[in-house]
Amino acid sequence: MPVKSREVHLVARPRGEPGPSDFALVETEVPDPGQDQILVRNDWISVDPYMRGRMNDVESYVPPFGLNEVMTGGAVGTVVESNLVGVPAGTTVRHFLGWREHALLGKGSFEVVDTSLAPLQAYLGVLGLTGLTAYAGLKRIAPVGEGEVVFVSGAAGAVGSTAAELAKCLGASKVIGSAGGPGKTRRIVEEFGYDAAVDYKAGDIEGQLRAAAPDGIDVYFDNVGGEHLRAALAALRTNGRVAMCGAISQYNATEPVPGPDNLFLAVGKRLTLRGFIVGDHVDLAPEYGRMAAALLREGRLRSEETVVDGIENAVDAFLGLLRGANTGKMLVRL
Ligand code: NDP
């Protein structure tokens, strides 16, 4: 019997900040699995900032979402019916057909995940691309040296909070984080292991960063772009490095955004600014997976999450993510 499933479609291309009317919850029927296919009930789906870019009809490193089609994204779930040898019902898997309650998957389009190591949803966060992004940024793109000072923007979020913990494990002597508002800045210092915090919503990011790191910073992990990048360029010491991971302050921009007006500092300070996409660094996944599993066991890495329940609230979770409603990984539990 085909199973009924609800899924989220993009029905309009947002201009500026997306709104609920850009999306529709659609009920559909998923056919029985064919040969070498599995039917998966999604238990958790991921909402991520990069999805905002996929809502625009522009060329990028990932193709845009189709209009009036179900969106895709990271998901983890349980096999409920299987015609694939070696993957019985009950197996837990990670795949890319998120934004829906059920997914039909063929060989090679999913991976089995081990829930004895960590809860299933951790494979969308600290043990998933989120964690790998933080690791690739600090290990390969802007490597952290022993005793160095690291600044992380988007510090209370999924990638940022993991980056802070990994920076310490990789030898940083001090990690400064920037987040929005006094609640988050307090939490990142008291709970997430940051040594100092910048509240970017209070203004003067450059002055706050100078006060937190009077002798400057060595590495900047940039999730935000704009004014944060400008402040980091001012604070970076000679031979400093920037991992350009994201620019969330600009994702809803409707006009061209000004570049940092102090970029020329990169010359005199011999800075390296390097952008990256996590998908190009999956070769690091095995070593990161081993390290992260050990750090989780030792309590040196946390799996911080904000959970929203129900596919009918997935759009709200995504819109909330863009406005900072989350700490740690924003997840939807189905
Ligand atoms: P987060 O969990 O960090 O969530 C987004 C956060 O961005 C919000 O919680 C909010 O926190 C902050 N934010 C929103 N608007 C602004 C703004 N105008 N200025 C400063 N902060 C803002 O998301 P992720 O950890 O998933 O992603 C973080 C960044 O990493 C994003 O830029 C994303 O695109 C990028 N990324 C890049 C990858 C790559 O391969 N290069 C892979 C994965 C993510 P607050 O309340 O503090 O404002």
Side-chain angles (χ1 to χ4, degrees):
M1 277 287 286
V3 49
K4 283 198 187 327
S5 177
R6 290 176 300 168
E7 56 187 38
V8 181
H9 291 201
L10 180 72
V11 297
R13 300 215 177 271
R15 185 163 161 74
E17 193 178 349
S21 61
D22 297 323
F23 307 90
L25 187 64
V26 174
E27 189 168 294
T28 179
E29 283 190 347
V30 183
D32 293 335
Q35 196 178 353
D36 289 338
Q37 284 190 322
I38 55 172
L39 178 67
V40 172
R41 190 195 63 239
N42 284 340
D43 297 310
W44 299 84
I45 61 173
S46 179
V47 289
D48 299 273
Y50 79 90
M51 292 169 172
R52 175 63 189 88
R54 296 193 69 189
M55 290 167 191
N56 300 333
D57 194 12
V58 291
E59 286 274 317
S60 180
Y61 63 95
V62 268
F65 291 129
L67 266 191
N68 300 308
E69 288 174 13
V70 58
M71 294 186 288
T72 54
V76 286
T78 310
V79 177
V80 287
E81 227 184 303
S82 174
N83 285 331
L84 187 55
V85 177
V87 190
T91 307
T92 44
V93 295
R94 175 172 57 192
H95 59 90
F96 210 62
L97 294 187
W99 290 101
R100 69 198 79 191
E101 290 176 309
H102 288 83
L104 201 55
L105 294 156
K107 228 180 186 168
S109 61
F110 65 90
E111 56 189 311
V112 173
V113 295
D114 177 4
T115 52
S116 68
L117 208 59
L120 184 55
Q121 70 273 22
Y123 288 89
L124 294 176
V126 70
L127 290 179
L129 287 181
T130 295
L132 187 62
T133 302
Y135 185 68
L138 295 174
K139 182 76 180 175
R140 179 174 280 167
I141 305 299
V144 179
E146 200 61 40
E148 290 194 321
V149 178
V150 177
F151 176 45
V152 180
S153 57
V159 172
S161 58
T162 304
E165 289 174 320
L166 291 179
K168 281 283 173 76
C169 296
L170 293 169
S173 60
K174 183 172 189 177
V175 183
I176 300 150
S178 168
K184 280 196 181 181
T185 46
R186 193 177 326 110
R187 260 196 96 188
I188 66 170
V189 173
E190 288 176 2
E191 295 177 38
F192 294 9
Y194 285 90
D195 299 289
V198 166
D199 176 0
Y200 76 87
K201 288 189 177 165
D204 189 17
I205 302 171
E206 190 177 327
Q208 290 189 63
L209 181 56
R210 200 181 316 111
D215 298 325
I217 62 172
D218 301 291
V219 169
Y220 173 44
F221 193 107
D222 190 11
N223 287 315
V224 169
E227 272 303 302
H228 278 86
L229 180 54
R230 186 185 188 288
L233 287 167
L236 277 156
R237 296 200 270 235
T238 303
N239 295 322
R241 285 135 272 146
V242 181
M244 300 184 70
C245 177
I248 197 163
S249 68
Q250 305 172 5
Y251 293 172
N252 285 329
T254 50
E255 301 293 333
V257 290
D261 61 9
N262 60 352
L263 190 57
F264 186 64
L265 288 174
V267 177
K269 296 190 193 186
R270 290 82 160 169
L271 304 179
T272 304
L273 284 77
R274 187 174 167 196
F276 73 106
I277 293 297
V278 62
D280 298 336
H281 300 278
V282 286
D283 59 299
L284 290 174
E287 84 177 46
Y288 172 66
R290 284 190 297 275
M291 176 182 171
L295 292 172
L296 278 170
R297 267 196 310 275
E298 293 162 17
R300 294 169 69 200
L301 199 58
R302 45 192 292 140
S303 182
E304 180 68 29
E305 295 153 5
T306 299
V307 176
V308 169
D309 280 299
I311 188 84
E312 64 281 10
N313 295 315
V315 167
D316 282 349
F318 173 70
L319 300 178
L321 171 81
L322 296 181
R323 293 190 207 118
N326 61 309
T327 49
K329 180 80 189 100
M330 183 64 113
L331 290 168
V332 183
R333 179 168 46 200
L334 303 186

